[in-house]
Amino acid sequence: MKKNKFNQLLLKKSVEIGKALANLKGVKIVMLEGSIALGYGDKDSDIDLVVLSNRFPSLTEIKNKLHDFTQGIKVTQSNIAWLQIQFMYKNSEVNVGFGKYEDFRKDVKEINKNPKNPLFFIYKKHILNWILNTKIIFDRDNILKIRGKVKLTEKGKGENISRFYMELKKYFLKENSSIQIEIKRGNYLFINHLVYESLNKVLEILYTINNKFYRYPKWVLKDINKFKKKPKNVGNVLQAISKLGNSKSDLNKKIKLIKFLVKKLRPLMKK
């Protein structure tokens, strides 16, 4: 497989910054998330790092410790649970989020008790994303060794698939479906919401039957190229849906395409 040169360069920069962040007082974990961690980085990609720590450092402390990396540094978010900073490094925009290590440790402990718990795949997506979809740069206590244990069992997969499919069936396939009712009402604002929600449920099912964790649709078209179980031409159908607008005519076209995908997913779910 041809290596993504942009991604390799961005990965090198990310590790340089990550190792410097690991020297801040109280830091337990530094990980890279987003496109670069997934191998999809390109010339427009930002570097997205997550730091889990016992304490949030001051901006002065960050500047002193990361003086080579902090061109134009600024705080973009600050509250009791999260600190976000942004700066430039070697022509790349860098976003670093600081979270509380203790909260993460508790979630990992809970997952460790039952690493095949499907509820975590529904309600703790950001935690699972950190465990499964990041590149670990620094892990002081080796807590992320759990990533090899976390997976959906057949039972968990069945629960995920059944729950989402029943909702899609209610929206699209039943006589007098939710979508049909809202079309009669002319409630296209709510129809737009249902279309977006339904597309995410289709993707949840598609990822689950391929034993993958789905978080959001940003890299779906790249991911599904690697999937073995998928409807024929699913990439083209998803592209067609995404290119349609929110007019009454386009929303009706989206509905037809999603209904097509729902029907095509059914036989794949039984395999």
Side-chain angles (χ1 to χ4, degrees), residues 202-260:
V202 166
L203 295 173
E204 287 272 11
I205 292 172
L206 186 57
Y207 272 67
T208 302
I209 61 180
N210 284 280
N211 296 307
K212 299 295 181 182
F213 169 68
Y214 171 74
R215 189 184 180 201
Y216 51 75
K218 188 172 183 179
W219 301 110
V220 163
L221 293 175
K222 288 183 179 289
D223 286 341
I224 61 173
N225 286 332
K226 305 170 188 174
F227 289 174
K228 293 182 178 178
K229 297 179 182 178
K230 58 188 175 185
K232 190 176 180 181
N233 297 321
V234 63
N236 293 334
V237 176
L238 291 170
Q239 282 279 47
I241 292 170
S242 66
K243 289 177 180 178
L244 289 166
N246 293 321
S247 66
K248 182 177 179 178
S249 173
D250 278 5
L251 281 172
N252 281 324
K253 290 176 184 176
K254 284 183 183 181
I255 290 165
K256 287 181 182 178
L257 289 170
I258 294 175
K259 189 174 181 178
F260 166 81

Side-chain angles (χ1 to χ4, degrees), residues 31-45:
M31 48 195 161
L32 174 68
E33 64 175 351
S35 60
I36 304 167
L38 295 171
Y40 302 145
D42 58 29
K43 62 181 180 179
D44 296 314
S45 294

Side-chain angles (χ1 to χ4, degrees), residues 255-270:
I255 290 165
K256 287 181 182 178
L257 289 170
I258 294 175
K259 189 174 181 178
F260 166 81
L261 285 178
V262 173
K263 287 181 176 179
K264 292 295 182 181
L265 280 173
R266 187 59 179 165
L268 295 174
M269 291 162 53
K270 295 178 178 179

Side-chain angles (χ1 to χ4, degrees), residues 17 21 24 57-76 83-89 93-96 98:
I17 301 165
L21 287 165
L24 288 167
S58 67
L59 196 57
T60 300
E61 185 181 350
I62 295 170
K63 286 180 178 178
N64 289 339
K65 191 67 75 170
L66 278 72
H67 55 87
D68 292 333
F69 305 98
T70 54
Q71 179 188 341
I73 189 169
K74 60 183 177 181
V75 175
T76 55
L83 171 68
Q84 185 94 13
I85 63 170
Q86 187 181 85
F87 55 89
M88 297 296 296
Y89 177 61
E93 183 177 294
V94 182
N95 300 289
V96 182
F98 291 84

Side-chain angles (χ1 to χ4, degrees), residues 35-201:
S35 60
I36 304 167
L38 295 171
Y40 302 145
D42 58 29
K43 62 181 180 179
D44 296 314
S45 294
D46 299 336
I47 294 172
D48 297 310
L49 293 157
V50 175
V51 178
L52 300 179
S53 179
N54 289 332
R55 56 186 285 277
F56 289 169
S58 67
L59 196 57
T60 300
E61 185 181 350
I62 295 170
K63 286 180 178 178
N64 289 339
K65 191 67 75 170
L66 278 72
H67 55 87
D68 292 333
F69 305 98
T70 54
Q71 179 188 341
I73 189 169
K74 60 183 177 181
V75 175
T76 55
Q77 184 181 344
S78 179
N79 57 50
I80 194 170
W82 190 255
L83 171 68
Q84 185 94 13
I85 63 170
Q86 187 181 85
F87 55 89
M88 297 296 296
Y89 177 61
K90 293 183 178 178
N91 299 316
S92 292
E93 183 177 294
V94 182
N95 300 289
V96 182
F98 291 84
K100 293 188 175 181
Y101 173 75
E102 186 57 28
D103 293 343
F104 179 70
R105 190 190 67 79
K106 287 177 182 177
D107 280 324
V108 169
K109 187 177 180 180
E110 185 64 29
I111 294 172
N112 220 359
K113 288 179 184 176
N114 186 4
K116 299 168 185 177
N117 181 358
L119 291 179
F120 268 87
F121 283 79
I122 299 167
Y123 301 114
K124 293 280 188 176
K125 286 203 165 190
H126 70 291
I127 299 298
L128 286 167
N129 181 60
W130 288 349
I131 292 173
L132 298 173
N133 291 339
T134 58
K135 178 173 178 57
I136 303 165
I137 296 174
F138 177 72
D139 181 7
R140 188 180 297 279
D141 299 331
N142 200 25
I143 195 172
L144 287 167
K145 63 184 179 182
I146 191 176
R147 67 171 36 175
K149 299 179 182 179
V150 178
K151 61 182 179 179
L152 277 176
T153 59
E154 289 305 312
K155 179 176 180 291
K157 284 165 61 178
E159 289 181 21
N160 255 14
I161 289 172
S162 297
R163 189 172 69 90
F164 291 125
Y165 186 78
M166 289 305 292
E167 290 175 8
L168 289 168
K169 187 176 178 181
K170 177 185 173 184
Y171 289 168
F172 294 97
L173 303 183
K174 287 178 69 176
E175 189 176 342
N176 204 27
S177 67
S178 299
I179 289 283
Q180 288 172 336
I181 290 170
E182 297 308 325
I183 289 173
K184 288 176 186 176
R185 290 172 174 164
N187 192 358
Y188 280 88
L189 179 63
F190 186 56
I191 290 170
N192 196 22
H193 165 75
L194 287 180
V195 164
Y196 174 77
E197 195 175 77
S198 300
L199 188 55
N200 272 294
K201 287 179 171 59

